[in-house]
Amino acid sequence: MAAPIKRHSLAMERTGQWVFSQDIPADVIVEVGESSFSLHKFMLVAKSNYIRKLILDSKEVDLTRINLSGIPGGPEIFEKAAKFCYGVNFEITVHNVAALRCAAEYLQMTDKYCDGNLAGRTEDFLSQVALTSLSGALVVLKSCEDLLPMAEDLNIVQRCVEIASAKACVEANFPSRSPPNWWTEELTILDITFFEKIITSMKSRGAKGLTLASAIITYTERSLRDLVRDHSGNGIKSSDLLEKSDTRTQQRELLESIVTLLPSDRSAFPISFLCCLLRTAIFLRADNRCKHELEKRISAILEHVTVDDLLVLSFTYDGERLFDLESVRRIISGFVEKEKSVAVFNAGDFREVCSTAMQRIAKTVDAYLGEIATYFELSISKFNGIANLVPKGARKVDDDLYRAIDIYLKAHPNLDEIEREKVCSVMDPLKLSYEARVHASQNKRLPVQIVLHALYYDQLKLRSGADDHKEPDAVTTRNQLQADVSLVKENEALRTELLKMKMHMAEMQKPTTSSKGSLKKPTFFSSMSKTLGKLNPFKHGSKDTLHIDDGMPDLTKPRRRRFSIS
């Protein structure tokens, strides 16, 4: 009870300083919330038609207590209204004029009841002082947040919006002071509802997309400072906002409202800002419509994307975990589809000829893959899924992609041969530079097939008589490589069979008295002869044949074949 008593005594003390008639005792106590004011009925009735009606309509013979807790602005504004009734001077400012105007309407202190009343005084201040500048209009509009719906009914909100939007458009085209975008900072004092009204009004006045974008970016960075301005991924912890569900809900609603305000000109916003908005939308779990709108906007200007922009989309705010990469996939896929449509319209083959923008995106995507490849939770399917979004023709060389693959294999050392081959399947070994092929030929992390491609490529060039300026046909080279790799595998199988045969023959030559053993020798030789015939890659018309003396192959001096490396 201590707090109400204190407020009561303070209100009495303040009113005692300006209630001029000490000879006539106060005859009414006005309660506003927890504050009370001892006043005179005749002074209040002279200005307020509302209080006059309360006294006249009261069933009490002598009404001594009036409750005005519903008055706009609360005790502070009522105190000023009471001062006005007593003829005591007080200051009307841009901060309190809207509340005083609403209180005057509530108390029916209009010129219709009494000339020169409070309503007329506040209207004069609004038109002659408060609404003559952008800053004044915005401060008045800000004060209306706690005065709804009366401030709207009195047209204060709409007047402020129209004047503020008109002056903002003028400032955007003809800045009156430095910095030129000072007016965008002024708008940040508003809540999202009133900010939306300003932007909508500016659109109707023909404001340019860049002008609106400037205001929206400044407002977003101020209102979602912790979420949007942190591009590094090392700012707030995810748990900081998870623990405050109310805050998170408010921020999600704010973000979704901001996205609906974005002008149709998708090139008006820098891609880094859009990526941060999308990362925030993912983090706050905004609705799909909000996220898809941002994805479309990013995809439309993806040629300007950087690796850092894509990384902003990929990591949580603590920088320790990957987000769901589906947004990145949809963004890149959307850009590729747009490029395909352009190629079809121009009657071109998109698979072979890609635009400069698509080639730039390919390099960015490959560099991006190299950055996320170190994360253990990145699956092969997700890695390959992003790599395969880029058309083959967009990569003149696959060196950047090879680097990303190598990083992935190094970060995932437990992959088996089949899994490593699957990772490497997104790369074309024939499109590696000489330096990359040298590196690949010595890279133990790569599967055998890729290493063999790297080893044989230059020899095939020499075999075909090609030099550095005229490389062999890609299809021919690839077919020859596949044939050689197949031949190597056949030779390995042949060596294995020969070794088994030698070991078996050694066993057969041991002294034995078993008659069954002697009966099986012809069968063994005949079966091995058939096996060798099937495995020998030179049996059809080749002069290169195996020589077997006394049923034993000579394995001590393997012959050099034309495809071997000497």
Side-chain angles (χ1 to χ4, degrees):
M1 294 297 294
I5 293 175
K6 183 178 181 181
R7 277 191 284 272
H8 175 81
S9 61
L10 287 175
M12 294 291 289
E13 181 181 346
R14 289 198 305 269
T15 56
Q17 295 172 0
W18 48 264
V19 175
F20 61 88
S21 178
Q22 299 296 330
D23 296 334
I24 304 175
D27 55 358
V28 66
I29 295 177
V30 179
E31 297 175 342
V32 183
E34 296 179 349
S35 298
S36 299
F37 300 85
S38 293
L39 302 170
H40 299 85
K41 293 178 184 177
F42 73 93
M43 298 300 296
L44 299 177
V45 168
K47 299 289 185 180
S48 172
N49 188 43
Y50 180 76
I51 294 178
R52 183 182 73 86
K53 289 181 178 179
L54 283 178
I55 294 173
L56 291 177
D57 296 341
S58 175
K59 295 180 180 180
E60 298 182 26
V61 177
D62 187 15
L63 183 64
T64 59
R65 191 172 293 270
I66 297 175
N67 190 310
L68 296 178
S69 295
I71 187 172
E76 292 183 6
I77 294 302
F78 173 77
E79 182 179 342
K80 288 180 171 55
K83 281 184 177 182
F84 184 84
C85 293
Y86 277 81
V88 178
N89 289 328
F90 62 93
E91 185 180 11
I92 299 178
T93 68
V94 292
H95 296 281
N96 65 26
V97 64
L100 284 170
R101 176 66 186 89
C102 291
E105 193 70 19
Y106 179 86
L107 295 172
Q108 298 178 16
M109 297 175 67
T110 64
D111 290 351
K112 185 181 295 186
Y113 181 72
C114 174
D115 291 338
N117 215 336
L118 182 60
R121 288 281 300 276
T122 53
E123 281 291 342
D124 291 342
F125 186 88
L126 279 171
S127 58
Q128 298 173 16
V129 180
L131 302 184
T132 58
S133 67
L134 173 62
S135 299
L138 291 175
V139 171
V140 174
L141 186 58
K142 172 67 176 177
S143 69
C144 290
E145 292 175 3
D146 299 323
L147 301 172
L148 300 176
M150 184 172 286
E152 286 186 325
D153 295 339
L154 294 174
N155 206 35
I156 301 175
V157 170
Q158 189 59 32
R159 289 165 63 190
C160 291
V161 168
E162 290 178 356
I163 291 173
S165 62
K167 292 185 178 297
C169 288
V170 172
E171 283 295 328
N173 296 322
F174 309 102
S176 62
R177 55 176 152 134
S178 183
N181 66 337
W182 67 270
W183 60 274
T184 64
E185 290 286 345
E186 298 285 316
L187 295 179
T188 60
I189 68 171
L190 303 175
D191 73 358
I192 186 60
T193 302
F194 288 159
F195 178 75
E196 183 177 1
K197 290 180 180 293
I198 296 287
I199 294 299
T200 302
S201 181
M202 291 179 69
K203 285 180 180 179
S204 67
R205 293 176 182 274
K208 298 178 181 179
L210 289 175
T211 298
L212 300 175
S214 178
I216 292 172
I217 290 172
T218 303
Y219 185 85
T220 304
E221 289 182 343
R222 179 65 65 87
S223 56
L224 294 172
R225 183 181 294 107
D226 294 334
L227 295 173
V228 177
R229 280 190 175 179
D230 177 36
H231 293 206
S232 63
N234 296 319
I236 59 174
K237 296 292 184 181
S238 302
S239 58
D240 293 346
L241 288 181
L242 287 173
E243 294 174 356
K244 303 176 181 178
S245 58
D246 292 341
T247 300
R248 181 168 180 153
T249 300
Q250 293 172 2
Q251 290 179 326
R252 179 170 60 248
E253 293 173 351
L254 174 59
L255 175 66
E256 291 172 353
S257 298
I258 289 173
V259 172
T260 62
L261 291 178
L262 302 183
S264 57
D265 183 5
R266 293 183 175 178
S267 62
F269 294 91
I271 196 167
S272 58
F273 173 74
L274 293 175
C275 286
C276 286
L277 274 188
L278 179 54
R279 192 260 288 267
T280 304
I282 296 171
F283 178 74
L284 294 176
R285 297 177 184 174
D287 61 43
N288 290 332
R289 182 172 54 184
C290 172
K291 290 187 288 188
H292 291 166
E293 173 62 25
L294 291 171
E295 289 170 358
K296 290 178 182 178
R297 288 177 176 271
I298 296 170
S299 183
I301 55 173
L302 191 62
E303 61 189 279
H304 304 295
V305 76
T306 66
V307 175
D308 288 340
D309 294 331
L310 292 179
L311 291 177
V312 162
L313 286 177
S314 305
F315 292 97
T316 56
Y317 279 86
D318 53 24
E320 297 176 355
R321 292 183 296 106
L322 282 173
F323 271 132
D324 185 356
L325 299 181
E326 285 305 306
S327 284
V328 176
R329 285 174 51 86
R330 285 193 293 266
I331 289 169
I332 299 173
S333 179
F335 183 83
V336 172
E337 290 300 319
K338 182 187 71 173
E339 290 289 302
K340 284 183 180 179
S341 300
V342 173
V344 171
F345 180 78
N346 295 330
D349 188 349
F350 180 70
R351 294 171 299 177
E352 299 298 332
V353 180
C354 291
S355 66
T356 303
M358 190 68 252
Q359 294 174 25
R360 187 160 53 245
I361 292 300
K363 290 186 68 67
T364 303
V365 169
D366 290 348
Y368 165 73
L369 287 171
E371 292 292 333
I372 66 173
T374 57
Y375 283 79
F376 183 76
E377 66 265 32
L378 180 63
S379 65
I380 296 176
S381 60
K382 289 185 177 181
F383 181 89
N384 286 4
I386 295 176
N388 284 326
L389 291 173
V390 178
K392 300 296 184 183
R395 296 185 178 100
K396 298 303 180 184
V397 292
D398 278 10
D399 288 14
D400 292 335
L401 184 56
Y402 167 64
R403 175 181 174 275
I405 290 172
D406 190 39
I407 293 173
Y408 187 88
L409 295 177
K410 186 176 182 180
H412 301 76
N414 297 325
L415 299 180
D416 58 31
E417 184 79 3
I418 295 177
E419 290 173 327
R420 285 184 289 136
E421 287 182 357
K422 188 179 297 184
V423 175
C424 294
S425 65
V426 298
M427 176 184 66
D428 186 352
L430 299 184
K431 293 174 69 174
L432 295 178
S433 66
Y434 174 76
E435 292 78 9
R437 290 197 303 274
V438 171
H439 185 278
S441 66
Q442 303 171 5
N443 192 343
K444 296 181 180 180
R445 289 185 288 272
L446 295 178
V448 175
Q449 187 171 358
I450 300 298
V451 174
L452 291 174
H453 275 67
L455 285 171
Y456 288 135
Y457 181 77
D458 291 311
Q459 286 205 356
L460 286 173
K461 286 174 62 178
L462 293 174
R463 187 188 308 170
S464 63
D467 55 22
D468 292 337
H469 301 287
K470 184 180 179 182
E471 296 187 354
D473 177 73
V475 176
T476 304
T477 303
R478 189 175 284 105
N479 291 339
Q480 185 63 55
L481 279 171
Q482 292 175 351
D484 282 355
V485 169
S486 177
L487 191 57
V488 168
K489 291 182 177 180
E490 289 181 1
N491 282 329
E492 289 297 328
L494 179 60
R495 290 192 185 97
T496 301
E497 290 294 336
L498 290 173
L499 183 59
K500 288 180 180 178
M501 185 182 71
K502 181 178 180 180
M503 294 174 63
H504 194 78
M505 289 296 295
E507 290 293 330
M508 295 291 292
Q509 287 178 349
K510 290 181 180 180
T512 177
T513 57
S514 173
S515 59
K516 294 182 180 180
S518 60
L519 292 174
K520 288 186 178 181
K521 286 183 181 179
T523 304
F524 173 77
F525 280 118
S526 61
S527 63
M528 285 305 301
S529 176
K530 292 180 181 178
T531 302
L532 291 174
K534 291 180 181 179
L535 291 174
N536 186 3
F538 305 105
K539 67 177 182 177
H540 299 295
S542 175
K543 296 180 181 180
D544 221 353
T545 58
L546 288 174
H547 300 282
I548 301 178
D549 297 330
D550 300 327
M552 288 293 293
D554 184 6
L555 298 177
T556 59
K557 296 181 180 180
R559 293 175 296 102
R560 294 181 180 176
R561 299 178 183 265
R562 61 184 180 86
F563 53 84
S564 63
I565 299 176
S566 56

